[in-house]
Amino acid sequence: MLKTITCLCLLTTAIQASANCNPANSDFPESLVSTPNITGIQTAWYDGATDRYSHGVLGDAIEPSILSISTSTSCETSITLDAQHVFEDIAPRLADIDNNGTAEVITVRSHQNKGAQVAIYALSTENTLELLATTPYIGTANRWLAPVGIADFNNDGLTDIAFVDRPHLAKKLRVWSYKDSELKEIASKGGYSNHRIGEDFISGGIRQCNGTTEMITADAYWQRILSTKLINGKLLSEDIGIFNDTASLTAALQCP
């Protein structure tokens, strides 16, 4: 994630606000995301480089330990993970998960002994970041998940999160929906991948064509490109072409 680092600091659990308004000064400036059309959280980015989690699935063993956000009225609010966790992620994602009109932050968080999970953070009334919901940990160290996208995949009015569980091993596409203040799995199916060990990016994503949201991934063997829809609780995939390279998956994000 970060190729060079001058200082590695031992971090403890803390929630803090600061006056640093320039994400370009963070350890991971490339992680900055922005959604100015959503109220509440406007931008989010990672900071706090650490080597305490030696998985290195994204190309090196340097991962973020701090999540920072800004709003239209607040310069920066940050949360620092405890020593057992890192954000094993490329960039945070902003979406209105609970349909309350404001954005939450969706991350991939990994535990030293339990592996990865999806972790969602929300801005509290006290202007601090609080953990809103998580998926279960995969259960073993050095086991990861790669997000596909966030959308209402089955058109039921709820926001869903799709990811590939262990894209190098289990290769299972899983969809979770935020309902009744928690994330609940609504569909899963094997035979998919969207990341190869050592790559510092996640391939594929989602596209919306003819009113339907489709998940674009490679198949488990990286031979074909798959478009997957969630219909009546089932993941239904269509082979839409040969996988040649990363560019072919990116091109598949456009509607035919």
Short mmCIF file of all heavy atoms in Angstrom, two decimals, residues 121-174:
data_model
loop_
_atom_site.label_atom_id
_atom_site.label_comp_id
_atom_site.label_asym_id
_atom_site.label_seq_id
_atom_site.Cartn_x
_atom_site.Cartn_y
_atom_site.Cartn_z
N TYR A 121 -18.56 2.99 9.39
CA TYR A 121 -18.47 4.04 10.39
C TYR A 121 -19.43 5.18 10.04
O TYR A 121 -19.61 5.52 8.87
CB TYR A 121 -17.05 4.59 10.46
CG TYR A 121 -16.05 3.60 11.00
CD1 TYR A 121 -15.41 2.69 10.16
CD2 TYR A 121 -15.76 3.53 12.37
CE1 TYR A 121 -14.51 1.76 10.66
CE2 TYR A 121 -14.86 2.61 12.87
CZ TYR A 121 -14.24 1.73 12.00
OH TYR A 121 -13.36 0.80 12.50
N ALA A 122 -20.06 5.74 11.07
CA ALA A 122 -20.99 6.85 10.91
C ALA A 122 -20.57 8.01 11.79
O ALA A 122 -19.88 7.83 12.81
CB ALA A 122 -22.41 6.40 11.26
N LEU A 123 -21.00 9.20 11.41
CA LEU A 123 -20.70 10.40 12.19
C LEU A 123 -21.78 10.57 13.26
O LEU A 123 -22.97 10.60 12.96
CB LEU A 123 -20.66 11.62 11.28
CG LEU A 123 -20.10 12.91 11.87
CD1 LEU A 123 -18.63 12.74 12.24
CD2 LEU A 123 -20.27 14.06 10.89
N SER A 124 -21.36 10.65 14.52
CA SER A 124 -22.30 10.78 15.62
C SER A 124 -22.73 12.23 15.80
O SER A 124 -22.19 13.15 15.17
CB SER A 124 -21.65 10.29 16.92
OG SER A 124 -20.68 11.23 17.37
N THR A 125 -23.71 12.44 16.67
CA THR A 125 -24.18 13.80 16.96
C THR A 125 -23.10 14.60 17.67
O THR A 125 -23.15 15.83 17.69
CB THR A 125 -25.44 13.75 17.82
OG1 THR A 125 -25.19 12.96 19.00
CG2 THR A 125 -26.59 13.12 17.05
N GLU A 126 -22.11 13.91 18.26
CA GLU A 126 -20.99 14.59 18.93
C GLU A 126 -19.83 14.83 17.96
O GLU A 126 -18.73 15.19 18.37
CB GLU A 126 -20.50 13.77 20.12
CG GLU A 126 -21.46 13.73 21.30
CD GLU A 126 -22.62 12.76 21.07
OE1 GLU A 126 -22.42 11.79 20.30
OE2 GLU A 126 -23.71 12.99 21.62
N ASN A 127 -20.07 14.59 16.66
CA ASN A 127 -19.07 14.80 15.62
C ASN A 127 -17.85 13.89 15.79
O ASN A 127 -16.71 14.27 15.53
CB ASN A 127 -18.61 16.27 15.59
CG ASN A 127 -18.01 16.64 14.24
OD1 ASN A 127 -18.54 16.27 13.20
ND2 ASN A 127 -16.90 17.37 14.26
N THR A 128 -18.10 12.64 16.24
CA THR A 128 -17.06 11.63 16.28
C THR A 128 -17.47 10.48 15.38
O THR A 128 -18.65 10.30 15.07
CB THR A 128 -16.85 11.10 17.71
OG1 THR A 128 -18.08 10.52 18.19
CG2 THR A 128 -16.41 12.21 18.65
N LEU A 129 -16.49 9.72 14.93
CA LEU A 129 -16.77 8.54 14.12
C LEU A 129 -17.07 7.36 15.02
O LEU A 129 -16.29 7.06 15.94
CB LEU A 129 -15.59 8.23 13.21
CG LEU A 129 -15.45 9.09 11.96
CD1 LEU A 129 -14.11 8.84 11.29
CD2 LEU A 129 -16.59 8.80 10.97
N GLU A 130 -18.18 6.69 14.75
CA GLU A 130 -18.58 5.54 15.55
C GLU A 130 -18.83 4.35 14.64
O GLU A 130 -19.28 4.50 13.51
CB GLU A 130 -19.85 5.85 16.35
CG GLU A 130 -19.68 6.93 17.41
CD GLU A 130 -20.93 7.15 18.22
OE1 GLU A 130 -22.01 6.68 17.77
OE2 GLU A 130 -20.85 7.77 19.29
N LEU A 131 -18.51 3.17 15.13
CA LEU A 131 -18.74 1.94 14.38
C LEU A 131 -20.24 1.67 14.32
O LEU A 131 -20.89 1.50 15.34
CB LEU A 131 -18.01 0.78 15.04
CG LEU A 131 -17.94 -0.53 14.26
CD1 LEU A 131 -17.19 -0.35 12.95
CD2 LEU A 131 -17.28 -1.61 15.11
N LEU A 132 -20.78 1.63 13.09
CA LEU A 132 -22.22 1.44 12.90
C LEU A 132 -22.58 -0.04 12.77
O LEU A 132 -23.54 -0.51 13.38
CB LEU A 132 -22.68 2.20 11.66
CG LEU A 132 -24.17 2.08 11.29
CD1 LEU A 132 -25.03 2.77 12.35
CD2 LEU A 132 -24.43 2.68 9.91
N ALA A 133 -21.82 -0.79 11.97
CA ALA A 133 -22.13 -2.20 11.73
C ALA A 133 -20.92 -2.87 11.10
O ALA A 133 -20.07 -2.21 10.48
CB ALA A 133 -23.35 -2.34 10.83
N THR A 134 -20.85 -4.18 11.24
CA THR A 134 -19.79 -4.97 10.61
C THR A 134 -20.35 -6.28 10.11
O THR A 134 -21.39 -6.76 10.58
CB THR A 134 -18.64 -5.29 11.59
OG1 THR A 134 -19.13 -6.17 12.61
CG2 THR A 134 -18.07 -4.04 12.22
N THR A 135 -19.66 -6.88 9.16
CA THR A 135 -19.88 -8.29 8.86
C THR A 135 -19.00 -9.10 9.81
O THR A 135 -18.06 -8.56 10.40
CB THR A 135 -19.50 -8.62 7.41
OG1 THR A 135 -18.11 -8.32 7.20
CG2 THR A 135 -20.34 -7.81 6.43
N PRO A 136 -19.26 -10.38 9.97
CA PRO A 136 -18.36 -11.19 10.80
C PRO A 136 -16.96 -11.23 10.20
O PRO A 136 -16.77 -11.11 8.99
CB PRO A 136 -19.00 -12.59 10.75
CG PRO A 136 -20.43 -12.35 10.36
CD PRO A 136 -20.41 -11.15 9.46
N TYR A 137 -15.96 -11.40 11.06
CA TYR A 137 -14.61 -11.64 10.56
C TYR A 137 -14.61 -12.93 9.74
O TYR A 137 -15.36 -13.87 10.03
CB TYR A 137 -13.63 -11.79 11.72
CG TYR A 137 -13.39 -10.56 12.54
CD1 TYR A 137 -13.95 -10.44 13.81
CD2 TYR A 137 -12.60 -9.51 12.07
CE1 TYR A 137 -13.73 -9.31 14.60
CE2 TYR A 137 -12.37 -8.37 12.85
CZ TYR A 137 -12.94 -8.29 14.11
OH TYR A 137 -12.72 -7.17 14.88
N ILE A 138 -13.73 -13.01 8.76
CA ILE A 138 -13.58 -14.25 8.02
C ILE A 138 -13.21 -15.38 8.96
O ILE A 138 -13.64 -16.52 8.81
CB ILE A 138 -12.55 -14.09 6.89
CG1 ILE A 138 -13.14 -13.17 5.80
CG2 ILE A 138 -12.15 -15.43 6.31
CD1 ILE A 138 -12.17 -12.83 4.69
N GLY A 139 -12.40 -15.08 9.99
CA GLY A 139 -12.15 -16.05 11.04
C GLY A 139 -10.73 -16.49 11.22
O GLY A 139 -10.39 -17.13 12.22
N THR A 140 -9.85 -16.17 10.29
CA THR A 140 -8.45 -16.58 10.35
C THR A 140 -7.57 -15.43 9.89
O THR A 140 -7.93 -14.70 8.98
CB THR A 140 -8.20 -17.80 9.43
OG1 THR A 140 -9.08 -18.85 9.82
CG2 THR A 140 -6.77 -18.28 9.53
N ALA A 141 -6.42 -15.28 10.49
CA ALA A 141 -5.48 -14.24 10.08
C ALA A 141 -5.11 -14.41 8.61
O ALA A 141 -5.11 -15.52 8.07
CB ALA A 141 -4.23 -14.30 10.95
N ASN A 142 -4.80 -13.29 7.96
CA ASN A 142 -4.35 -13.28 6.56
C ASN A 142 -5.40 -13.83 5.61
O ASN A 142 -5.07 -14.45 4.59
CB ASN A 142 -3.03 -14.05 6.41
CG ASN A 142 -1.91 -13.45 7.23
OD1 ASN A 142 -1.92 -12.26 7.53
ND2 ASN A 142 -0.95 -14.27 7.62
N ARG A 143 -6.65 -13.58 5.92
CA ARG A 143 -7.75 -13.90 5.02
C ARG A 143 -8.50 -12.60 4.76
O ARG A 143 -8.86 -11.89 5.68
CB ARG A 143 -8.67 -14.97 5.60
CG ARG A 143 -7.98 -16.32 5.82
CD ARG A 143 -7.57 -16.95 4.51
NE ARG A 143 -6.95 -18.27 4.70
CZ ARG A 143 -5.64 -18.47 4.79
NH1 ARG A 143 -4.81 -17.44 4.72
NH2 ARG A 143 -5.17 -19.69 4.96
N TRP A 144 -8.77 -12.31 3.49
CA TRP A 144 -9.18 -10.97 3.08
C TRP A 144 -10.45 -11.03 2.24
O TRP A 144 -10.87 -12.09 1.77
CB TRP A 144 -8.03 -10.35 2.27
CG TRP A 144 -8.19 -8.92 1.88
CD1 TRP A 144 -8.30 -7.83 2.71
CD2 TRP A 144 -8.22 -8.42 0.54
NE1 TRP A 144 -8.39 -6.68 1.97
CE2 TRP A 144 -8.35 -7.00 0.63
CE3 TRP A 144 -8.15 -9.02 -0.71
CZ2 TRP A 144 -8.41 -6.19 -0.50
CZ3 TRP A 144 -8.21 -8.21 -1.83
CH2 TRP A 144 -8.35 -6.82 -1.71
N LEU A 145 -11.07 -9.90 2.06
CA LEU A 145 -12.22 -9.76 1.16
C LEU A 145 -12.03 -8.52 0.30
O LEU A 145 -11.41 -7.54 0.73
CB LEU A 145 -13.53 -9.68 1.96
CG LEU A 145 -13.72 -8.51 2.94
CD1 LEU A 145 -14.32 -7.27 2.26
CD2 LEU A 145 -14.59 -8.94 4.11
N ALA A 146 -12.57 -8.57 -0.91
CA ALA A 146 -12.42 -7.46 -1.86
C ALA A 146 -13.80 -6.94 -2.27
O ALA A 146 -14.56 -7.66 -2.92
CB ALA A 146 -11.65 -7.92 -3.09
N PRO A 147 -14.13 -5.69 -1.91
CA PRO A 147 -15.44 -5.14 -2.26
C PRO A 147 -15.67 -5.07 -3.76
O PRO A 147 -14.74 -4.81 -4.54
CB PRO A 147 -15.41 -3.73 -1.65
CG PRO A 147 -14.42 -3.84 -0.52
CD PRO A 147 -13.37 -4.78 -1.03
N VAL A 148 -16.90 -5.35 -4.16
CA VAL A 148 -17.33 -5.20 -5.55
C VAL A 148 -18.06 -3.88 -5.73
O VAL A 148 -17.80 -3.13 -6.66
CB VAL A 148 -18.23 -6.37 -5.98
CG1 VAL A 148 -18.76 -6.15 -7.40
CG2 VAL A 148 -17.48 -7.68 -5.89
N GLY A 149 -19.00 -3.57 -4.83
CA GLY A 149 -19.73 -2.32 -4.94
C GLY A 149 -20.84 -2.21 -3.93
O GLY A 149 -21.15 -3.17 -3.20
N ILE A 150 -21.45 -1.04 -3.88
CA ILE A 150 -22.53 -0.72 -2.94
C ILE A 150 -23.71 -0.20 -3.74
O ILE A 150 -23.58 0.77 -4.50
CB ILE A 150 -22.07 0.33 -1.92
CG1 ILE A 150 -20.82 -0.16 -1.17
CG2 ILE A 150 -23.19 0.67 -0.94
CD1 ILE A 150 -20.11 0.93 -0.41
N ALA A 151 -24.87 -0.84 -3.59
CA ALA A 151 -26.07 -0.44 -4.34
C ALA A 151 -27.26 -1.22 -3.79
O ALA A 151 -27.10 -2.13 -2.97
CB ALA A 151 -25.89 -0.74 -5.83
N ASP A 152 -28.44 -0.86 -4.25
CA ASP A 152 -29.64 -1.66 -3.97
C ASP A 152 -29.75 -2.70 -5.08
O ASP A 152 -30.41 -2.48 -6.09
CB ASP A 152 -30.86 -0.75 -3.92
CG ASP A 152 -32.14 -1.51 -3.61
OD1 ASP A 152 -32.07 -2.73 -3.38
OD2 ASP A 152 -33.22 -0.88 -3.63
N PHE A 153 -29.10 -3.83 -4.90
CA PHE A 153 -28.98 -4.80 -5.98
C PHE A 153 -30.29 -5.50 -6.31
O PHE A 153 -30.49 -5.95 -7.44
CB PHE A 153 -27.92 -5.85 -5.63
CG PHE A 153 -26.52 -5.31 -5.60
CD1 PHE A 153 -25.85 -5.14 -4.40
CD2 PHE A 153 -25.87 -4.95 -6.77
CE1 PHE A 153 -24.56 -4.63 -4.37
CE2 PHE A 153 -24.59 -4.43 -6.76
CZ PHE A 153 -23.93 -4.27 -5.55
N ASN A 154 -31.20 -5.64 -5.34
CA ASN A 154 -32.46 -6.35 -5.59
C ASN A 154 -33.68 -5.44 -5.58
O ASN A 154 -34.82 -5.92 -5.54
CB ASN A 154 -32.64 -7.48 -4.57
CG ASN A 154 -32.59 -6.96 -3.13
OD1 ASN A 154 -32.34 -5.79 -2.89
ND2 ASN A 154 -32.81 -7.86 -2.19
N ASN A 155 -33.44 -4.12 -5.60
CA ASN A 155 -34.53 -3.14 -5.72
C ASN A 155 -35.58 -3.27 -4.62
O ASN A 155 -36.78 -3.10 -4.85
CB ASN A 155 -35.20 -3.25 -7.10
CG ASN A 155 -34.28 -2.90 -8.24
OD1 ASN A 155 -33.55 -1.90 -8.18
ND2 ASN A 155 -34.27 -3.72 -9.28
N ASP A 156 -35.12 -3.51 -3.38
CA ASP A 156 -36.06 -3.59 -2.26
C ASP A 156 -36.03 -2.35 -1.39
O ASP A 156 -36.65 -2.30 -0.33
CB ASP A 156 -35.79 -4.83 -1.42
CG ASP A 156 -34.43 -4.78 -0.71
OD1 ASP A 156 -33.62 -3.86 -1.01
OD2 ASP A 156 -34.17 -5.66 0.14
N GLY A 157 -35.28 -1.32 -1.82
CA GLY A 157 -35.21 -0.08 -1.07
C GLY A 157 -34.12 -0.03 -0.02
O GLY A 157 -33.92 1.01 0.61
N LEU A 158 -33.40 -1.14 0.18
CA LEU A 158 -32.32 -1.19 1.15
C LEU A 158 -30.97 -1.18 0.43
O LEU A 158 -30.85 -1.64 -0.70
CB LEU A 158 -32.43 -2.45 2.01
CG LEU A 158 -33.73 -2.62 2.80
CD1 LEU A 158 -33.73 -3.95 3.52
CD2 LEU A 158 -33.93 -1.47 3.78
N THR A 159 -29.96 -0.64 1.11
CA THR A 159 -28.63 -0.56 0.51
C THR A 159 -27.84 -1.83 0.82
O THR A 159 -27.81 -2.30 1.96
CB THR A 159 -27.87 0.66 1.05
OG1 THR A 159 -28.64 1.84 0.78
CG2 THR A 159 -26.52 0.81 0.36
N ASP A 160 -27.21 -2.37 -0.21
CA ASP A 160 -26.47 -3.63 -0.10
C ASP A 160 -24.98 -3.41 -0.36
O ASP A 160 -24.59 -2.47 -1.07
CB ASP A 160 -27.00 -4.65 -1.11
CG ASP A 160 -28.51 -4.78 -1.07
OD1 ASP A 160 -29.06 -4.87 0.04
OD2 ASP A 160 -29.13 -4.76 -2.16
N ILE A 161 -24.17 -4.30 0.19
CA ILE A 161 -22.73 -4.29 -0.04
C ILE A 161 -22.35 -5.65 -0.61
O ILE A 161 -22.65 -6.69 0.00
CB ILE A 161 -21.96 -4.03 1.26
CG1 ILE A 161 -22.36 -2.69 1.87
CG2 ILE A 161 -20.44 -4.08 1.01
CD1 ILE A 161 -21.78 -2.44 3.25
N ALA A 162 -21.69 -5.64 -1.77
CA ALA A 162 -21.22 -6.88 -2.39
C ALA A 162 -19.71 -6.96 -2.30
O ALA A 162 -19.01 -5.96 -2.51
CB ALA A 162 -21.67 -6.95 -3.84
N PHE A 163 -19.19 -8.14 -1.96
CA PHE A 163 -17.75 -8.35 -1.96
C PHE A 163 -17.44 -9.79 -2.30
O PHE A 163 -18.29 -10.68 -2.21
CB PHE A 163 -17.12 -7.95 -0.61
CG PHE A 163 -17.61 -8.72 0.59
CD1 PHE A 163 -17.10 -9.98 0.90
CD2 PHE A 163 -18.58 -8.19 1.43
CE1 PHE A 163 -17.51 -10.68 2.01
CE2 PHE A 163 -19.02 -8.89 2.55
CZ PHE A 163 -18.48 -10.14 2.84
N VAL A 164 -16.19 -10.01 -2.72
CA VAL A 164 -15.71 -11.37 -2.94
C VAL A 164 -14.95 -11.80 -1.70
O VAL A 164 -13.94 -11.20 -1.34
CB VAL A 164 -14.83 -11.49 -4.20
CG1 VAL A 164 -14.35 -12.93 -4.35
CG2 VAL A 164 -15.61 -11.06 -5.44
N ASP A 165 -15.46 -12.82 -1.05
CA ASP A 165 -14.85 -13.38 0.14
C ASP A 165 -13.67 -14.25 -0.27
O ASP A 165 -13.84 -15.22 -1.02
CB ASP A 165 -15.92 -14.21 0.87
CG ASP A 165 -15.42 -14.89 2.12
OD1 ASP A 165 -14.21 -14.85 2.40
OD2 ASP A 165 -16.25 -15.49 2.83
N ARG A 166 -12.45 -13.87 0.19
CA ARG A 166 -11.21 -14.56 -0.14
C ARG A 166 -11.09 -14.81 -1.66
O ARG A 166 -11.21 -15.92 -2.14
CB ARG A 166 -11.14 -15.89 0.62
CG ARG A 166 -10.93 -15.72 2.13
CD ARG A 166 -11.34 -16.94 2.90
NE ARG A 166 -12.80 -17.08 2.88
CZ ARG A 166 -13.47 -18.12 3.39
NH1 ARG A 166 -12.80 -19.12 3.93
NH2 ARG A 166 -14.78 -18.16 3.32
N PRO A 167 -10.84 -13.71 -2.40
CA PRO A 167 -10.80 -13.81 -3.87
C PRO A 167 -9.69 -14.69 -4.40
O PRO A 167 -9.68 -15.01 -5.60
CB PRO A 167 -10.60 -12.35 -4.30
CG PRO A 167 -9.99 -11.67 -3.12
CD PRO A 167 -10.59 -12.34 -1.93
N HIS A 168 -8.77 -15.13 -3.53
CA HIS A 168 -7.69 -16.01 -3.97
C HIS A 168 -7.92 -17.45 -3.51
O HIS A 168 -7.21 -18.35 -3.96
CB HIS A 168 -6.35 -15.52 -3.41
CG HIS A 168 -6.26 -14.04 -3.34
ND1 HIS A 168 -6.17 -13.35 -2.14
CD2 HIS A 168 -6.29 -13.10 -4.31
CE1 HIS A 168 -6.13 -12.05 -2.38
NE2 HIS A 168 -6.21 -11.87 -3.69
N LEU A 169 -8.90 -17.67 -2.62
CA LEU A 169 -9.12 -18.99 -2.05
C LEU A 169 -10.57 -19.45 -2.21
O LEU A 169 -10.88 -20.26 -3.07
CB LEU A 169 -8.71 -18.98 -0.56
CG LEU A 169 -7.22 -18.74 -0.28
CD1 LEU A 169 -6.97 -18.54 1.20
CD2 LEU A 169 -6.41 -19.92 -0.79
N ALA A 170 -11.46 -18.92 -1.38
CA ALA A 170 -12.88 -19.33 -1.43
C ALA A 170 -13.57 -18.83 -2.69
O ALA A 170 -14.45 -19.51 -3.24
CB ALA A 170 -13.61 -18.82 -0.19
N LYS A 171 -13.22 -17.61 -3.13
CA LYS A 171 -13.74 -17.02 -4.36
C LYS A 171 -15.27 -17.02 -4.38
O LYS A 171 -15.90 -17.37 -5.36
CB LYS A 171 -13.17 -17.75 -5.58
CG LYS A 171 -11.64 -17.71 -5.63
CD LYS A 171 -11.06 -18.40 -6.84
CE LYS A 171 -9.54 -18.32 -6.81
NZ LYS A 171 -8.92 -18.94 -8.00
N LYS A 172 -15.83 -16.54 -3.27
CA LYS A 172 -17.28 -16.53 -3.10
C LYS A 172 -17.82 -15.11 -3.14
O LYS A 172 -17.37 -14.24 -2.39
CB LYS A 172 -17.67 -17.19 -1.78
CG LYS A 172 -19.17 -17.23 -1.51
CD LYS A 172 -19.48 -17.93 -0.20
CE LYS A 172 -19.22 -19.41 -0.29
NZ LYS A 172 -19.69 -20.12 0.93
N LEU A 173 -18.77 -14.84 -4.02
CA LEU A 173 -19.45 -13.55 -4.08
C LEU A 173 -20.54 -13.53 -3.02
O LEU A 173 -21.40 -14.42 -2.98
CB LEU A 173 -20.05 -13.34 -5.47
CG LEU A 173 -20.80 -12.03 -5.71
CD1 LEU A 173 -19.90 -10.82 -5.51
CD2 LEU A 173 -21.41 -12.02 -7.12
N ARG A 174 -20.51 -12.51 -2.15
CA ARG A 174 -21.48 -12.41 -1.05
C ARG A 174 -22.09 -11.02 -1.07
O ARG A 174 -21.42 -10.02 -1.32
CB ARG A 174 -20.80 -12.68 0.29
CG ARG A 174 -20.06 -14.01 0.34
CD ARG A 174 -19.35 -14.24 1.65
NE ARG A 174 -20.28 -14.51 2.74
CZ ARG A 174 -19.89 -14.81 3.99
NH1 ARG A 174 -18.59 -14.88 4.27
NH2 ARG A 174 -20.77 -15.05 4.93
#
